[in-house]
């Protein structure tokens, strides 16, 4: 038996736009993802989050499923476009607490109000201040019951997939805007942490998607800078790494006076881990639009088995990442806020079970090697709207039939329930 420490926080994660639907209910205003998904050609088969899993109306059933799984915690996001009426989250949080499930709230999982985008979005510094106001308001409403708060989910994706490659909302393709957005997202995080602390929040965090970059030394170093250190160092050390700053300044100016605000102490770092990237020096390569300035670097195909996203299955990458974080950024407890796999549809999902089993073991080994890991949230509780890939990619422990909206726990859900009950893995 491989066991985890007492109190290890086993959970599952979702995000507002991916599951809620009810996009016109109770005064919700449009977000950049409503606009983007309704723009022809942006999302596979024109899928939108208009209905999604209808979680907004079916949340009680979903909380019931979480209780049956024995989840200790549930990570969800609050939709900024619902700021005018947050009563849905009141009801959700109360239902979770009734079942003994700790609510872990993320304030921004990519659904920026369209009105703020119209004023410049994350390329506009003012959006960071608006985020802090929103954080204060959400905390005021829910902070008596929600103790764990995350400011942003994956600012790398918001900045670079949203503004460099344009594969995600708002669909901008402007490298300078992408670096500016990255900086403003970090500023929003810092201002948000301050606002949450001022309201008395107990535990405040940031979730980053961190991707080990393997391959030739020099390109791997540069891409690691643009993928990982560009957020880790400002937030946890109060500085841009010199190589990253030099690269950013090829495209735009950033205000270094913001760094003390950005580097507010956090209580936990959320880590989203799915896969590794492999890069090689290749003078003929035009680079990757998600990494502006990566001309001369080529991305290699994944090695070995992949998920339905074509992402390499590499649990050792998770172990190394956790060990690296505890070595390079000591003193910040870690939480895996997302890990999971898109697998072929069906209720039998042996591939998902073996993916999770291998990653849980990797996390445990990292803990033995010194990583201070406090919990693990599986992405995702339910199949849901997988952004530009629409409903085709299924990450759920629980299957969703999009015709009937019926939920069916998969084999992986039953397997996960046993893991949680035992607080460990057999053998
Ligand atoms: C992450 C996102 C999450 C989900 C997974 C598969 O980048 O945070 O919403 O889409 O990928």
């Amino acid at each position: 038996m491989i066991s985890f420490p007492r109190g290890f926080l086993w959970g599952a994660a979702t995000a507002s736009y991916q599951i809620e639907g009810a996009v016109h209910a109770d005064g919700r205003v449009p977000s950049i993802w409503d606009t983007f998904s309704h723009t022809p050609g942006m999302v596979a088969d024109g899928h939108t989050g208009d209905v999604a899993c209808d979680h907004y109306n079916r949340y009680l059933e979903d909380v019931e499923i979480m209780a049956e799984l024995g989840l200790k915690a549930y990570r969800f996001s609050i939709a900024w476009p619902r700021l005018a009426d947050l009563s849905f989250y009141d009801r959700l949080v109360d239902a979770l607490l009734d079942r003994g499930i700790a609510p872990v709230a993320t304030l921004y999982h990519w659904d920026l109000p369209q009105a703020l985008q119209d004023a410049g979005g994350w390329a506009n510094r003012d959006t960071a201040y608006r985020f802090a106001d929103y954080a204060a308001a959400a905390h005021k409403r829910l902070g008596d019951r929600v103790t764990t708060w995350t400011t942003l989910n994956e600012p790398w994706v918001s900045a670079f997939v949203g503004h460099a490659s344009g594969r995600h909302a708002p669909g901008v393709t402007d490298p300078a805007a992408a670096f500016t957005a990255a900086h403003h997202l970090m500023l929003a995080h810092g201002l948000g942490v301050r606002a949450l602390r001022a309201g008395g929040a107990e535990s405040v965090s940031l979730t980053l998607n961190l991707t080990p970059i393997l391959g030739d030394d020099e390109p791997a170093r540069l891409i690691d800078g643009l993928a990982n250190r560009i957020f880790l160092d400002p937030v946890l050390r109060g500085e841009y790494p010199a190589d990253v700053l030099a690269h950013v300044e090829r495209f735009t100016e950033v205000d270094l006076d913001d760094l003390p605000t950005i580097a507010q102490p956090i209580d936990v770092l959320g880590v989203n881990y799915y896969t590794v990237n492999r890069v090689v020096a290749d003078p003929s390569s035009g680079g990757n639009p998600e990494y502006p300035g990566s001309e001369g670097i080529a991305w290699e195909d994944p090695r070995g088995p992949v998920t339905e996203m074509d992402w390499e299955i590499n649990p050792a990458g998770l172990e190394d990442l956790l060990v690296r974080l505890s070595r390079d950024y000591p003193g910040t407890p870690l939480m895996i806020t997302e890990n999971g796999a898109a697998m072929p549809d069906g209720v039998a999902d042996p591939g998902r079970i073996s993916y999770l089993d291998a990653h849980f073991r990797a996390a445990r080994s990292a803990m033995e090697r010194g990583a201070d890991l406090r919990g693990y949230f599986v992405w995702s509780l339910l199949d849901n709207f997988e952004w530009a890939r629409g409903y085709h990619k299924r990450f759920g422990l629980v299957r969703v039939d999009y015709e009937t909206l019926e939920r069916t726990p998969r084999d992986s859900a039953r397997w996960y329930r046993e893991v949680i009950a035992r607080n460990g893995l057999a053998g």
Side-chain angles (χ1 to χ4, degrees), residues 193-214:
V193 171
R194 267 195 199 149
L196 291 164
R197 296 247 188 256
E202 234 170 74
S203 175
V204 181
S205 65
L206 166 70
T207 279
L208 299 175
N209 55 306
L210 298 170
T211 310
I213 311 295
L214 311 179

Side-chain angles (χ1 to χ4, degrees), residues 15 18 75 109-110 153-154 157 209 272 274 309 311 338 379 384-387 395:
Q18 294 180 278
R75 174 179 182 249
H109 200 128
W110 307 352
N153 177 72
E154 302 191 352
V157 174
N209 55 306
N272 291 358
Y274 290 95
M309 300 293 277
W311 293 345
E338 287 181 28
W379 184 272
N384 59 53
F385 175 78
E386 180 42 42
W387 309 113
F395 276 89

Side-chain angles (χ1 to χ4, degrees), residues 28 51 54 81 150 157 190 210 215 274 285 292 345 369 379 387 392 405 407:
R28 180 187 180 277
V51 177
D54 194 34
T150 303
V157 174
L210 298 170
Y274 290 95
S285 166
D345 193 12
R369 293 170 62 195
W379 184 272
W387 309 113
H392 295 296
L405 295 170
R407 278 83 162 131

Side-chain angles (χ1 to χ4, degrees), residues 14-17 20 76-83 86 88-89 92-93 104-111 134 138-139 142 146 149:
T14 63
S16 46
Y17 189 71
E20 286 178 359
F76 61 98
S77 76
I78 297 170
W80 191 345
R82 296 197 195 276
L83 182 54
L86 294 176
F88 166 69
Y89 301 103
L92 172 65
V93 164
V104 175
T106 298
L107 285 161
Y108 184 69
H109 200 128
W110 307 352
D111 42 0
Y134 155 54
H139 183 268
L142 300 163
V146 177
W149 292 82

Side-chain angles (χ1 to χ4, degrees), residues 273-357:
Y273 174 83
Y274 290 95
T275 189
V276 298
N277 276 202
R278 297 175 183 278
V279 296
V280 288
D282 174 358
S284 73
S285 166
N288 177 336
E290 270 156 23
Y291 299 89
S294 62
E295 294 77 12
I297 299 176
W299 269 251
E300 289 192 313
D301 287 341
R303 295 192 191 160
V306 296
T307 67
E308 290 279 290
M309 300 293 277
D310 286 325
W311 293 345
E312 176 174 328
I313 299 175
N314 192 325
L318 175 61
E319 178 173 341
D320 292 346
L321 171 65
L322 295 172
V323 171
R324 168 193 174 184
L325 291 171
S326 57
R327 186 195 59 209
D328 291 356
Y329 307 92
T332 306
L334 306 172
M335 185 90 87
I336 295 172
T337 39
E338 287 181 28
N339 172 249
M343 287 289 161
D345 193 12
V347 169
D349 58 344
R352 181 172 291 104
I353 294 175
S354 60
Y355 179 99
L356 291 173
D357 182 82

Side-chain angles (χ1 to χ4, degrees), residues 113-425:
Q114 181 61 43
L116 290 179
Q117 184 61 42
D118 296 342
W122 290 111
N124 177 357
R125 185 178 176 87
D126 186 53
T127 302
Y129 293 88
R130 304 294 294 271
F131 174 78
D133 294 344
Y134 155 54
H139 183 268
K140 189 161 182 224
R141 180 69 186 258
L142 300 163
D144 57 334
R145 286 153 293 152
V146 177
T147 52
T148 308
W149 292 82
T150 303
T151 53
L152 311 176
N153 177 72
E154 302 191 352
W156 182 86
V157 174
S158 299
F160 295 99
V161 186
H163 298 80
S165 71
R167 261 195 320 114
H168 278 186
V172 172
T173 51
D174 172 354
F179 286 112
T180 303
H183 186 82
H184 289 158
L185 281 153
M186 285 191 273
L187 178 61
H189 159 74
L191 294 168
V193 171
R194 267 195 199 149
L196 291 164
R197 296 247 188 256
E202 234 170 74
S203 175
V204 181
S205 65
L206 166 70
T207 279
L208 299 175
N209 55 306
L210 298 170
T211 310
I213 311 295
L214 311 179
D216 292 349
D217 283 352
E218 227 179 280
R221 176 90 188 144
L222 174 67
I223 302 306
D224 176 64
L226 299 183
N228 303 317
R229 290 181 290 119
I230 190 171
F231 293 103
L232 286 168
D233 284 39
V235 169
L236 298 173
R237 291 183 175 162
E239 60 191 20
Y240 276 95
D243 61 327
V244 173
L245 184 60
H247 193 90
V248 171
E249 285 177 338
R250 285 172 47 193
F251 296 91
T252 189
E253 296 259 309
V254 288
D255 189 345
L256 299 180
D257 291 342
D258 292 331
L259 284 164
T261 305
I262 289 170
Q264 297 300 303
I266 53 175
D267 302 293
V268 65
L269 176 69
V271 176
N272 291 358
Y273 174 83
Y274 290 95
T275 189
V276 298
N277 276 202
R278 297 175 183 278
V279 296
V280 288
D282 174 358
S284 73
S285 166
N288 177 336
E290 270 156 23
Y291 299 89
S294 62
E295 294 77 12
I297 299 176
W299 269 251
E300 289 192 313
D301 287 341
R303 295 192 191 160
V306 296
T307 67
E308 290 279 290
M309 300 293 277
D310 286 325
W311 293 345
E312 176 174 328
I313 299 175
N314 192 325
L318 175 61
E319 178 173 341
D320 292 346
L321 171 65
L322 295 172
V323 171
R324 168 193 174 184
L325 291 171
S326 57
R327 186 195 59 209
D328 291 356
Y329 307 92
T332 306
L334 306 172
M335 185 90 87
I336 295 172
T337 39
E338 287 181 28
N339 172 249
M343 287 289 161
D345 193 12
V347 169
D349 58 344
R352 181 172 291 104
I353 294 175
S354 60
Y355 179 99
L356 291 173
D357 182 82
H359 286 77
F360 291 175
R361 283 167 204 271
R364 191 70 189 88
S365 313
M367 293 165 80
E368 272 151 32
R369 293 170 62 195
D372 182 6
L373 182 68
R374 304 291 175 90
Y376 206 122
F377 290 75
V378 172
W379 184 272
S380 177
L381 177 69
L382 303 168
D383 288 340
N384 59 53
F385 175 78
E386 180 42 42
W387 309 113
R389 318 291 281 270
Y391 295 99
H392 295 296
K393 303 298 172 195
R394 292 175 176 269
F395 276 89
L397 294 164
V398 175
R399 179 175 190 275
V400 175
D401 179 325
Y402 292 112
E403 300 287 313
T404 62
L405 295 170
E406 194 190 339
R407 278 83 162 131
T408 310
R410 293 196 164 102
D411 290 352
S412 57
R414 280 178 281 277
W415 172 85
Y416 190 36
R417 184 180 62 196
E418 293 307 307
V419 172
I420 298 172
R422 283 196 302 254
N423 197 28
L425 300 155

